[in-house]
Amino acid sequence: MKAGWICALSSVLVLAAGCEGQIGDPGIPTATPGAIGAGDSETPPSLPPVIPGGFEPTSDPTSGTPMPSDPSLPVDPTKIPPPDSTTPPSDTTPPPPTNGMPPTAQPPVVMPPPKDVTGTIVPLYTSPSHPSWTAVIAAKKSHPTVPVIAVVNPANGPGSAINAGYVAGIGRLFDAGVKVIGYIATGYTRVPEATVRADIDRWKKWYPQLAGIFFDEQSNKAGQEPYYRSLSQYAKSVGLLYTVGNPGTDSGPSYVGVLDTVLIYESQGLANMTKLAGWHAAHPPRNFGIIPYGTALDVAYVRAAKGLVGYIYLTNDTLPNPWDSVPVYFADLLAALE
């Protein structure tokens, strides 16, 4: 903008001041926002008059002379909103009548809490070529909603070398939907933590489809919880996310949460139901499991125990090794757990 034009405009507003002052000069009064005088309302000629609603005028507001329109934009007179219309058209559907009553608020949808599903933990201490592996796979496929966890044990632990038969067998279990965990004996804390961790590392390295670790010979004595908590956390840190402990008897409340699940009964015959309904009832059933041996399938017992423990396994096999087979009724056990 040129200085001569500023001088001419300033002379109209302040005749006695001349053009020596600049904007902000004490000799030239500055405008106060919101305090425009009558002489300050002149609209510059280059600005068209504004019509409420944001529409361009179709005629000169002062003379009424029609204004030329853009020939590329045909104008339909019926589509031109009235000059005093300031509310844009609404495309929303009006709410339904309420007969003078306020609308009723819809109650929020409340989803029920997830329900614990009872599964089974199978001590699958046979070789992958044994018919027991095929039986577990077939039963799982027939009852896919029942969680099945298989504990595998090549050599009282992972052994000293990878076993190709176990690689293939674990793969078949995995493909059928069985969660596979690896056996480690802890000697009731007598096995050094470093030794157990080395076994955890071998399980993870050799059998990548493994889901967790089974700590057998778990102590149930108060004060030895840190040993198992440390080992459980280590297993999870390397990707073996599910841990089970097996003291074979009740372990007490102090072990809840140290491992994901603790097997509180490993004996001949069915566990006394009143013992399962003791202090354990204050904790979710998934914290506990039972593995009785030397027993027939008792469907009524299984269904009653489902609300008390999260994992139930029964077998009619007996000592000296009740874990060298799976019962002929294994598929029926899964049916009772559904």
Side-chain angles (χ1 to χ4, degrees), residues 87-102:
T87 303
S90 173
D91 58 356
T92 59
T93 304
T98 58
N99 298 324
M101 300 295 291

Side-chain angles (χ1 to χ4, degrees), residues 69-151:
S69 60
D70 187 344
S72 65
L73 300 174
V75 177
D76 184 352
T78 63
K79 302 296 184 180
I80 300 175
D84 59 349
S85 173
T86 59
T87 303
S90 173
D91 58 356
T92 59
T93 304
T98 58
N99 298 324
M101 300 295 291
T104 303
Q106 296 297 321
V109 178
V110 179
M111 300 300 293
K115 183 180 179 181
D116 279 326
V117 179
T118 309
T120 187
I121 295 177
V122 185
L124 195 60
Y125 298 165
T126 54
S127 68
S129 60
H130 193 274
S132 55
W133 287 56
T134 303
V136 169
I137 291 171
K140 173 60 178 176
K141 289 181 177 180
S142 297
H143 304 278
T145 62
V146 179
V148 177
I149 298 167
V151 186

